[in-house]
Amino acid sequence: MSYPYPSHSGISRRNARGFLLLAFVVALTWRGSAAMAEPTKAGQFAILAGKVITMDADDTIINNAVVLVRDGKIERVGKRREFEIPDGYRVIHAEDKWLVPGIIDCHNHTAGSLVDLNDMVYLTNPGLRTLDTIVPGTKWLEEARAGGVTTVLLIPGSGTNMSGFGTITKLAGKTVDEMVVRSPGSLKIAQAGNPEWYWFGVGRSYMNYNTRQTLMKAKNYHESWTAYEKGEAPKAPTYDPIFHDFRGLFGRMYPASVHTQIYQVVMTTVDMLARKLKIRTVLDHSTFDGFKVAPQVLKTEAYTINGPRQYWFDYTSRKMHGNAARWWQGGVRKLGINTDAPVVPQEELPYQAAMACWYGWLPYPALRGVTRIPAEALVVDDRTGSIEPGKDADFGVWTGDPIDPRSSCELTVINGKIAYDAKAKRVF
Amino acid sequence: MKAKAIVIAGWLVFSGIVMPAVAAPPAKLALTGARIIPVVGDDIPSGTILIEHGVITAIGEKVSVPYDAMEIDVSGKVLFPGMIDVHSSRGLDVANENFSVSPFLDVYDAIDPSRRFFENALRDGFSAVHVIVGNNCVIGGLSRVVRPIGLTPDEMTFHTPTALKLSVAPKHGWDRMRQMAELRETFLELKDYLGNLAEEKYEKSLEDKDEEIDVGPDEARERGEKLIRPEDYDDKHRNLIKLTRGDLDAFVYCGTASDISRAKTIAEENGFLKHMTLVLGVDCFKAVAELKSLKRPVVLDPQLLYRERDPITGKIRETFVPKVFADARVRFALQPMSSGSLAERYLNYQAARCVRAGVSRKKALRAITINPAKALGLEKRIGSLEVGKVADIVVFSGDPLDFNTWVEKVYIDGIKAYDREEDARLKELLGQERNRLSKSDKGGDENEETEKSESEEPAKAVGNKQEDGTDKKSDDSKSTITTEDQPSD
C-alpha cells in the first residue's frame, strides 16, 4: 500500500545525507505531484475539495469539505471547518474542484482482449468467463482512468444469446488478481438483435425458448444444491463447473446484464428474467422504443442502463426522443448510462450522460446514473459508487461537474492510490 | 435548474408517450339507435345492444336499458361483429424459424405488441388476430388468438394454445416427398418415444419395488402406458401428443389442390382429422369436392382471383375462388392480404369483392366473422352479435361492404379500444387532404351534420344494391373483372 508518487519536498527534507543520493531520488520521483505535500504515512492522505458529491442515499453534497483516505478506504468525510486533519496525512489541495465518486460502467468490452469477445460456440454458452481474458495495463485502461473511470464490468459480446459471465474490475493494478472486484460479475444475456445472425438466422421464438431452457436447467441445478444444503436431499448433486456460477445468479448475489433493445425485446427481458425467473436484471442499452416498457419495469427491481445510443428518432411521429429522458418520464429511477466501450470510448461515459441531458434528462440524476446506480445494479454498492466512510477510496477530482463537457478530470484515485494525476502526466 | 426542469417536463409531456389507462371500463354500456348486423340472425334496422361486464346481454329493437348503463348514441351507424384475422404471422419478427419440426415453440416468445401491424388491425376493425407461424415449415409451433391492443402478449392474449401449425406443402427448397417423409417420420418417432417412455416407466416402477422385469417389451409398454403422467412428456413431443389425442387443433397449410388428400391422410393416421382447419393455397378450389367431404373449416388464400393460362390455346382463364366454394356450399373463411398497402388488407373489402362476384351477401359477411371464429373453435365466444357473446363490436360509418365506409369505433370486451376521432396518426395523415376537401364545394365529409344529409345517402344506396345481389354488374365492376372471365360455374 505505498503511495506511488512520493512527493519531492517531503523526501528532500528527510534525506539530507548526500547530494548523489538526493539527486538519484529526485530524478526518480520528479514526475510525482510536486506541489502538494507534508510528511506522511504511506496510504494516508486528506483531500481538501471545494465540493464533494457524496452520492449517498440522502444525496448529500458538502461544500468546502475534507475527505480522509486511509489504507485504501475512505476514513472520514466532513466540512473543512468541522475537524482538524490528523498528523501523518498528506494534504492534497483541490479547494476549487469537485470530488466525485469514481465513474462506473456496467457495459465494457475493453478491459480484456477484443479477439476473445465473442466465442460463438453455441447459441447459449453458459460456461464462458471473461475472467480469462482480462489484460491489465493497456492504453485503453490508462485513458479510462484519465477520464475518472474507476470500475467497469467487463462482459462478453452479444453474438450469442448467452455469452458467459462477466467480471467486475477496478481499472488499476498490475495483475488480474489486483484488478478483480468480483468474478462472476454478472451473466451476459443478449436477446434478439446480434444473436439473430447466429447459424442461418434465428427468430425470437426459438431464441427465447432456448435461453429459457438454459436458465431453467441452471435454476434446477441451483435448486438441487439448495435442497442438499438445507438437508432436504441426502446426496450432493454432481458438481457442474458450467452451471455452478448460476447459483449466485439465482441466489441474487449478482445480476444478469442483458443486451436488449426495441420494445418487444425489452418487454421479453423484463417478463422472462425479472418477473418470472426473479433474477436481478440490468437492462443494458434499452434503446429505440424500449422506454415504452417503463410500466412493466416499474413492477420489477430491474435496473435500466441506457446507451450508447442516447436518442431515438421515431419516423412515424417524426419526433426525437431522448432515451434516458423517456425512461425517467416513465417513472424509472433506477436509471443509468453505459458506453459499450469501445463502441463509445470508456472515458466518454460522462459525455454520454451529458448527451442524455441534452435530450431532456437532468444533470444530477445523470451523474448518479454513472456512479451510484451502476454500483447498485452490479451489487457492488457496499464497496464503491459513493463517498462514504468505509467504502473504497475510488473518486475523481474534477474541475467542475463531470456532466459538463467542459470539465476535466485532474486526479483519479482507485483503492486509495492515485491512479491518474494530470499534473504528473496529462492524458487529455 | 427548476425552470429547466419544468421546460423539460413540459416538452416530455407534449411529445406524448402513451401510458396504459388504469381506469376501469364502464361496467354497463348501451349502444343505441344503430343499424345492427348480427351476422347470425336477421339485421335490425334500428336497435340497441346492451353490454354488461364485457358480454352482450341484450340485443334488439327495444331493449330495456338498466338505469346504471352508460348510454352511447350511435344512431346512423352500423354495428357489426369485430372482424377476425384468422391466420397471420405478421405480429412476429420472422414468420418461421430455421427448423423443419419445431412443435415446442410458442408465438408468445416473439409477439411484438408494438408492431404497426396490430395498430392497423385495430384501425381496420379487427378485434381478434390469430398469430401463427408461417407456412414455411413442416411442423411449426403453437399459435394464439390475441387482441390487437395491449402492452404485453399476456395482456393481448384471448385464447391459447389455439392450434399447432403443420404444412403439407414443401418448405422452401424442398420437394413434396421430403416434406411428407419428414411429417411421417415425426409421427413415427412420436410413437417410438411414447413406447420407450412407457417401457422406462414400467421398468422404473419395478426398480422402485426391487423387482426384476418380468414381461416382454410389448407387455411392458402396455403396462407402462398407464404410469405416464402429463409432466413426463418432453417439450419436443408434448404438443404432438396433445394433437394426436384431440386436445389441440391443427392448422394445416395446403399449397395446392393435390395437397388436400395428403393432409387428409396424415390427419387421419394421427388422429386429428376432426381437429383440423385447412389453410388453402389459391388453386386448392380444384379439390372442392374433396374438401366438402372432409367437412372441416377452410381458410382461403387472400388472393381471391386465380388466373391460369391454357398451355395449348394460350387463353387466360380466371376463377373467383370464393364463388366456387359458395356454389359448392363449403363454408369458408377469408383472410386479409398481409401486404399493408393493398386494399385486400381490409377484410370487408374482401367480402365486398365476393358479393361483386356473385357470392351472397350473407355468406360473404359470415366469411369474415363467424366462419373465422369457427375455424378457430371460438364460435361460442366471438364472431357474431348474440346474447352471451363477448362484446367485440365494430361501429361502421355505413354499410360494411360500401367502400365509403370507415371504422369509427372498435369495442373489445365491451371496452372502447379504438376511436377514429382520437386516432392521432390518421388525423395527421388525412389532415391536409381534409382541409383541402372542406375548402372546396364537396366538403364537410367529416362534419357530423352534413354527413347525414350528404355522404350517408349514396352510401346506403350502393349498399342496398349489393345486398339483393342482382344489380351488381354496374359500371364500376366492369373495370376489373369481366363476366366472360368467370368459369362456367
Side-chain angles (χ1 to χ4, degrees), chain B residues 195-208:
Chain B
N196 289 340
L197 185 66
E199 204 175 328
E200 263 171 43
K201 277 295 212 187
Y202 183 60
E203 278 174 24
K204 183 96 198 318
S205 73
L206 292 181
E207 243 172 61
D208 294 347

Side-chain angles (χ1 to χ4, degrees), chain A residues 105-109 130 152-158 160-168 182 184-191 211 215 249 254-260 269 273 279-286 303-305 338 374 377-379:
Chain A
D105 196 346
C106 277
H107 198 118
N108 163 287
H109 301 300
T130 57
V152 297
L153 170 65
L154 168 65
I155 44 176
S158 50
T160 62
N161 284 137
M162 191 185 288
S163 46
F165 282 90
T167 314
I168 300 173
R182 190 182 71 221
S186 84
L187 173 70
K188 174 69 185 283
I189 290 177
Q191 288 188 300
T211 306
L215 286 167
L249 183 76
Y254 39 79
S257 297
V258 193
H259 161 109
T260 182
T269 307
L273 300 175
I279 295 172
R280 281 182 190 269
T281 307
V282 183
L283 307 169
D284 284 17
H285 307 314
S286 51
Y303 280 82
T304 306
I305 307 291
N338 71 46
L378 300 178
V379 207

Side-chain angles (χ1 to χ4, degrees), chain B residues 290-357:
Chain B
E290 196 170 4
L291 283 165
K292 188 171 184 180
S293 71
L294 270 177
K295 293 198 173 79
R296 295 306 309 156
V298 298
V299 176
L300 301 192
D301 195 277
Q303 187 190 328
L304 302 183
L305 191 66
Y306 179 67
R307 281 195 179 84
E308 194 175 28
R309 185 184 291 273
D310 188 309
I312 296 167
T313 64
K315 255 182 140 181
I316 290 181
R317 190 181 137 98
E318 288 187 341
T319 308
F320 192 80
V321 176
K323 181 79 165 64
V324 181
F325 284 86
D327 291 347
R329 296 172 158 273
V330 175
R331 190 189 294 143
F332 60 91
L334 293 172
Q335 39 172 336
M337 190 78 94
S338 61
S339 165
S341 57
L342 297 176
E344 283 86 343
R345 111 176 188 208
Y346 304 104
L347 211 40
N348 47 336
Y349 174 76
Q350 295 282 69
R353 288 175 72 202
C354 289
V355 171
R356 182 177 62 187

